[in-house]
Amino acid sequence: MRKMSLVLSVLVILSLLFSFSLVWAQEGASELEIKTADAAFEAADKGNPDPAWKGQKLTIGVYSAGPRGAISGPLYFWRPYFEKLTGATYDIVEIPFAELREKIFTDLMTGTGTYDIIVGPSWFYGDYISNDWIVPSDKYLNDPRMPKWEPASILPPLQELYSWGGKWVGFNNDHDGQVLYYRRDILNDPKWQEEFKKETGKDMPVPPKTWDEVYEITKFFHGKDWNGDGEPDYGITMHLKVAGQGFFHFMALSAPYVVAPAPGDDPNKVTRYHNVYWFDPETMEPLVNTPGFVEALNMLLKLSKTGPSAMWGWSLGEAWDAFLRGKAVICFSWGDVGSLSQLPDQSSIKGKLGVAPIPGSEKYYDLETKQWVEKRNFVANTVGASWHGVISKFSKNQDLAAYFLSWQATPPINHWNVVWGWTGVDPGTLYDLLQPTGKSTIEEYVATGYEAEDAKQFVNAYEEMWYKYPLKQSYLRIPGTPEMWEIWDIHLSEAVTGQVTPEEALNRTAEDWNAIIDRLGREQLKKIYQEAIGYKPE
Amino acid sequence: MSKKRHRIVETLLWIVVVIVVLWVVSPFYWAVITSFKKPADVFRLSSIPWVQFRPTLNNWQTEFNQRGPEITRGLLNSVTIAIGASVFAVFLGSLAGYGLARHRYTKWRNQSMSFWFLSQRFLPPAATVIPFFLLMKSLKLLDTQIALILVNTTFVMPFAVLIMRDMFKELPVELEEAAWVDGCSRWQSFVRIALPLAAPALVATVIICFAFAWNEFLFALVLTYKKASPMTVVIAGTEHTQGVQFWYVSTRLLLAIIPPTILALTVQKYIVRGLTMGAVKG
């Protein structure tokens, strides 16, 4: 009996402690956050909220990262403001990342309608559209009740991601793409530049513009004690573990080898052979085993040998950590690295961050002529999730859901989320870019804790990639995308770990993708794919 | 055995014991030290606080400050669901086990019925998750503790039936026959004679069922959204697009092992007695 009392006492104490912490949770934000958020709230357009919304409640499904975590964090942060604005509120349902698809698709497939809003990844679009599961945002753009956001401010490659068939489907929020991070202090150090020249006979290219230049640098630094800790350090760090999102690395790396500019006046024109990355839009035959991909995979293998072999088993956290604590001279990844590098408990490289747009290639493969073109090629990517909200067709309160998402998409609120890096909302609009191209100032980033030069490098790298790069890589938005990526991930790992040759790994991928396409319906997928990439058969 | 040989055997035994202890304790040690590390220290090979890394209470504070209500709710849900399912399963399992131990069925033979119960454990939960989802949706039980109590009961009941069947088989039927002679009905002899004698096995069965229900993840994930989500789902929430937050995994799993550990320690004498009952026959 005494023991049972002990058990109950412990449980009661734990419950009380955690319940009391509800009060503390609401005080988690800093004074500066509150002050700047208040200003953003005042500045944001508020539309004309319908009085009938008072007392109503929405449910938002989002991946699980907590009240101060990436993407879910802002939902918690802005809730009291939304309540003040509309008299309505919302529940936040956090879903673990690995189970996101099952949970959301089960809900949509069965028409359960638990979630009014889904803040999900862009690779769900194929299923959203083909199953008619979401209400396009286009419907609300001119609704006088809705706060005005600026679709035109979103940078061009991301505009495509947020729209379908020329119409807006999602509401602006996050912007993902991979860029190159490097150690500015090391690559600009005259001592290392001199050593590089002595060893290679060339000047060190800072920042590296192509993957060949990246390789030269990582090869030079790998195994040297360039950070002075008495131990050999790494050239590059990557997350190459199966299910560790390693295939996104390959996506960003391979794009310039594969995506060819269209001849004529408009290099961005999508033809059967130009500005295509995934499939032949006429046949839905995968391009994944064409020579451009093979060349890129060989480059990935070369690069992987200039980092620790342990990274074959690394996922995001481990890979980023090696760069953030100063063990790797280069990594390429999402905007998260830029914001994490400024956090003292995770990073030792604040003030030393160099960022460049994703490198290009020295040549690309022309699918039409079936020949290599010896010319530098630069291709912007929107690799990643670009987490943003869509409205479920099964929502009983679609207008209120649209109001919330429109309000969150307004420039002041969206930009506030971007400059406060903990939100996981990455830059991707004109008002995030620095003047003169954009509307933002470096002071806005410095005020939230960024080191000025780091922030400048970070934002300008995205500006150059999304605003100035001549070409862009299309995003895969067809049903079956998650399954295809999973298979690709496995076969890429087979190549990286030396089980099969790059050609074999990519042939296997193509074979498996063809099986999926046949299973889901080649003609139907072809139609969706053509729409998704804006291809019009001639 | 010579003295020298005896010493060698003893030393080897000690080595084995130390290895086993290290094997068992190291995950807990990892969890404890990780919960006191800064994120930047988590990926380093450091295991001695103050020597290899400076411990911090930040992770615990953050969990209390930001995830407090969710963790409280998760713990309470886990306790409710695990207790509900185990009590329900043991109640039904005792009745079924008693029936199988004391009666001989002819149409469906006892052995077949026992095997049928056991077969429920062979069934992969993933195969039944969608039917259960649709069922709970129709019954408007999604995101309720009742749904998880019912589902977990279904999956842990085979243990209860089989353990209790064996337990009742071990009890001398003469004790109940004597009670019948004294005027007890079958039900009364079950409640007053058989059940009290089977108490150690009942407790052990409750603990086993509790452990299974406590650790269940798949159904919890699919059938709940927020209100009824147990700790397994809360722990899984530490993996997101910025990778697994190991420092929060460790805090949550330490919190999650407290209730079952205390429960097991409280009733451990019953577990040993219950599980070994009938192991030695006179």
Side-chain angles (χ1 to χ4, degrees):
Chain A
M1 195 62 202
R2 270 176 57 199
K3 284 182 178 173
M4 196 52 83
S5 309
L6 179 71
V7 175
L8 290 173
S9 310
V10 170
L11 285 176
V12 168
I13 290 168
L14 275 175
S15 306
L16 285 174
L17 276 173
F18 277 96
S19 303
F20 281 136
S21 63
L22 176 66
V23 181
W24 307 337
Q26 290 169 342
E27 293 171 358
S30 70
E31 273 180 37
L32 184 64
E33 280 176 24
I34 300 288
K35 196 178 148 196
T36 51
D38 285 347
F41 179 70
E42 288 306 320
D45 184 42
K46 296 173 184 64
N48 296 294
D50 190 333
W53 290 338
K54 199 172 178 184
Q56 295 191 24
K57 191 187 248 188
L58 297 170
T59 301
I60 303 176
V62 61
Y63 86 86
S64 181
R68 295 286 288 185
I71 305 301
S72 62
L75 299 177
Y76 286 92
F77 184 87
W78 291 105
R79 184 161 54 185
Y81 294 88
F82 178 70
E83 288 168 355
K84 190 174 151 190
L85 197 55
T86 60
T89 190
Y90 53 83
D91 270 338
I92 302 158
V93 176
E94 293 185 48
I95 308 165
F97 181 64
E99 285 77 29
L100 203 63
R101 180 171 165 249
E102 282 70 21
K103 285 282 279 187
I104 288 173
F105 283 15
T106 304
D107 187 76
L108 294 169
M109 214 180 290
T110 56
T112 306
T114 305
Y115 313 110
D116 298 285
I117 292 170
I118 296 152
V119 179
S122 301
W123 60 79
F124 284 180
Y125 266 122
D127 292 276
Y128 285 159
I129 301 291
S130 61
N131 291 299
D132 195 18
W133 279 339
I134 59 168
V135 181
S137 58
D138 207 63
K139 180 182 167 188
Y140 294 101
L141 280 178
N142 296 315
D143 188 326
R145 292 172 302 171
M146 303 298 155
K148 291 279 170 282
W149 52 291
E150 296 176 3
S153 285
I154 303 173
L155 299 179
L158 293 152
Q159 286 194 17
E160 286 190 9
L161 198 61
Y162 277 85
S163 54
W164 190 284
K167 288 187 173 177
W168 292 91
V169 280
F171 291 82
N172 180 37
N173 185 45
D174 177 35
H175 319 99
D176 272 343
Q178 291 201 340
V179 289
L180 188 86
Y181 296 94
Y182 64 92
R183 284 293 296 273
R184 177 161 46 96
D185 56 329
I186 303 294
L187 265 59
N188 286 323
D189 186 336
K191 178 195 141 197
W192 287 113
Q193 289 184 340
E194 197 185 315
E195 292 232 357
F196 184 88
K197 186 149 193 181
K198 208 185 293 174
E199 196 172 306
T200 64
K202 297 179 197 169
D203 288 331
M204 191 190 293
V206 185
K209 298 259 190 228
T210 64
W211 289 111
D212 290 279
E213 290 179 353
V214 171
Y215 174 65
E216 283 172 7
I217 290 174
T218 58
K219 190 178 161 205
F220 168 76
F221 281 106
H222 187 56
K224 291 188 170 71
D225 177 22
W226 48 262
N227 67 6
D229 66 355
E231 290 174 4
D233 302 306
Y234 315 134
I236 197 166
T237 173
M238 291 185 275
H239 41 86
L240 297 176
K241 178 187 168 188
V242 174
Q245 304 187 48
F247 59 94
F248 283 123
H249 274 321
F250 185 56
M251 252 184 233
L253 185 151
S254 58
Y257 294 93
V258 177
V259 179
D265 298 339
D266 182 9
N268 274 300
K269 188 180 177 194
V270 180
T271 74
R272 183 175 178 184
Y273 304 108
H274 306 100
N275 294 298
V276 287
Y277 177 83
W278 299 99
F279 303 99
D280 179 333
E282 287 291 336
T283 62
M284 276 307 277
E285 193 60 34
L287 302 175
V288 73
N289 53 348
T290 53
F293 278 99
V294 177
E295 184 74 13
L297 187 48
N298 280 316
M299 175 53 82
L300 183 77
L301 294 182
K302 268 165 67 176
L303 279 173
S304 73
K305 290 185 174 61
T306 63
S309 54
M311 71 186 177
W312 294 344
W314 281 356
S315 51
L316 286 178
E318 295 96 314
W320 289 350
D321 171 69
F323 182 70
L324 294 175
R325 68 185 163 92
K327 286 294 286 177
V329 82
I330 275 180
C331 83
F332 62 107
S333 199
W334 292 282
D336 305 77
V337 175
S339 49
L340 291 175
S341 70
Q342 307 300 302
L343 302 179
D345 67 338
Q346 296 206 29
S347 160
S348 60
I349 62 162
K350 187 174 177 179
K352 302 168 182 170
L353 184 72
V355 194
I358 200 79
S361 58
E362 299 286 355
K363 59 181 182 179
Y364 62 89
Y365 187 74
D366 189 323
L367 289 165
E368 189 171 24
T369 60
K370 298 199 175 359
Q371 284 183 339
W372 283 99
V373 178
E374 298 289 334
K375 189 178 171 192
R376 284 193 167 191
N377 197 32
F378 296 95
V379 180
N381 71 80
T382 50
V383 158
S386 288
W387 301 91
H388 62 275
V390 294
I391 303 170
S392 164
K393 203 155 193 183
F394 304 103
S395 164
K396 290 174 187 67
N397 214 336
Q398 296 175 4
D399 294 352
L400 180 58
Y403 183 89
F404 172 74
L405 290 173
S406 302
W407 172 66
Q408 281 289 291
T410 56
I413 301 225
N414 184 233
H415 184 58
W416 186 95
N417 287 338
V418 166
V419 294
W420 287 95
W422 63 266
T423 60
V425 178
D426 294 328
T429 62
L430 280 173
Y431 49 78
D432 296 328
L433 301 186
L434 299 172
Q435 295 167 354
T437 309
K439 296 176 181 170
S440 186
T441 62
I442 198 69
E443 287 75 26
E444 289 172 19
Y445 288 89
V446 172
T448 66
Y450 276 92
E451 198 274 339
E453 183 57 29
D454 289 0
K456 199 172 150 195
Q457 294 258 336
F458 176 52
V459 180
N460 285 350
Y462 277 103
E463 176 187 328
E464 193 173 341
M465 182 170 86
W466 281 333
Y467 210 63
K468 296 174 183 164
Y469 263 26
L471 303 178
K472 58 192 177 295
Q473 177 183 20
S474 55
Y475 195 92
L476 189 59
R477 299 190 295 172
I478 61 172
T481 296
E483 192 184 352
M484 288 184 189
W485 285 358
E486 197 178 308
I487 284 167
W488 199 17
D489 191 19
I490 292 166
H491 292 316
L492 286 173
S493 179
E494 288 169 353
V496 171
T497 53
Q499 295 172 60
V500 298
T501 61
E503 290 86 349
E504 176 60 18
L506 296 172
N507 282 337
R508 287 181 184 190
T509 309
E511 201 177 309
D512 290 347
W513 284 10
N514 265 324
I516 295 170
I517 291 165
D518 288 332
R519 194 183 79 226
L520 297 177
R522 188 169 291 266
E523 283 308 308
Q524 191 202 345
L525 289 193
K526 189 170 90 180
K527 188 171 166 287
I528 295 170
Y529 178 63
Q530 289 179 350
E531 270 180 23
I533 65 168
Y535 173 76
K536 292 185 177 57
E538 286 172 2
Chain B
M1 195 187 287
S2 71
K3 209 171 177 180
K4 192 180 169 188
R5 204 172 155 197
H6 180 78
R7 194 169 291 166
I8 291 170
V9 170
E10 201 170 56
T11 310
L12 285 174
L13 272 175
W14 270 109
I15 291 170
V16 171
V17 168
V18 169
I19 291 170
V20 170
V21 168
L22 283 176
W23 182 267
V24 173
V25 170
S26 56
F28 295 100
Y29 183 67
W30 175 86
V32 172
I33 60 164
T34 304
S35 74
F36 293 110
K37 283 182 177 180
K38 281 194 303 183
D41 291 322
V42 168
F43 296 105
R44 292 174 204 175
L45 281 174
S46 54
S47 50
I48 309 169
W50 287 286
V51 176
Q52 292 176 304
F53 68 93
R54 183 182 284 274
T56 172
L57 281 170
N58 275 356
N59 302 324
W60 287 95
Q61 282 169 346
T62 307
E63 285 291 79
F64 272 84
N65 289 348
Q66 292 172 13
R67 289 288 199 171
E70 189 191 343
I71 291 173
T72 310
R73 191 171 55 227
L75 278 170
L76 292 176
N77 282 336
S78 286
V79 169
T80 310
I81 292 160
I83 289 178
S86 47
V87 168
F88 215 18
V90 169
F91 171 70
L92 295 171
S94 301
L95 293 175
Y98 184 79
L100 286 169
R102 289 287 183 255
H103 293 278
R104 186 169 295 279
Y105 297 94
T106 48
K107 196 173 178 186
W108 298 294
R109 291 183 307 139
N110 290 39
Q111 205 182 352
S112 304
M113 283 196 281
S114 298
F115 184 78
W116 183 83
F117 277 115
L118 192 61
S119 70
Q120 300 307 295
R121 282 304 308 175
F122 302 158
L123 198 65
T128 57
V129 71
I130 295 297
F132 267 120
F133 178 87
L134 295 172
L135 186 67
M136 295 304 167
K137 186 189 160 201
S138 311
L139 296 171
K140 298 199 185 312
L141 286 177
L142 285 177
D143 205 17
T144 63
Q145 295 166 338
I146 296 171
L148 284 186
I149 289 173
L150 291 175
V151 171
N152 277 300
T153 301
T154 311
F155 278 88
V156 298
M157 206 166 65
F159 287 112
V161 173
L162 296 176
I163 295 172
M164 293 312 294
R165 181 200 64 176
D166 288 351
M167 177 67 214
F168 290 124
K169 267 187 179 174
E170 295 302 324
L171 291 180
V173 71
E174 289 81 5
L175 293 172
E176 287 178 73
E177 285 171 350
W180 300 337
V181 170
D182 290 339
C184 271
S185 65
R186 190 104 207 189
W187 174 252
Q188 284 171 324
S189 72
F190 169 67
V191 175
R192 293 183 180 178
I193 309 292
L195 268 187
L197 287 170
L202 275 177
V203 175
T205 312
V206 165
I207 295 292
I208 290 170
C209 294
F210 183 92
F212 273 96
W214 185 268
N215 290 321
E216 201 286 320
F217 173 70
L218 182 69
F219 287 104
L221 179 77
V222 175
L223 300 181
T224 68
Y225 299 107
K226 188 180 177 80
K227 285 185 295 205
S229 293
M231 272 309 277
T232 44
V233 175
V234 176
I235 292 171
T238 57
E239 191 211 346
H240 55 72
T241 54
Q242 292 185 339
V244 180
Q245 314 288 291
F246 292 103
W247 41 102
Y248 296 139
V249 171
S250 47
T251 54
R252 288 180 206 180
L253 78 84
L254 287 171
L255 287 167
I257 61 176
I258 292 173
T261 307
I262 295 174
L263 188 63
L265 289 174
T266 312
V267 295
Q268 64 173 321
K269 63 178 180 183
Y270 295 106
I271 300 177
V272 177
R273 275 175 62 195
L275 291 178
T276 56
M277 208 151 217
V280 181
K281 293 183 181 178

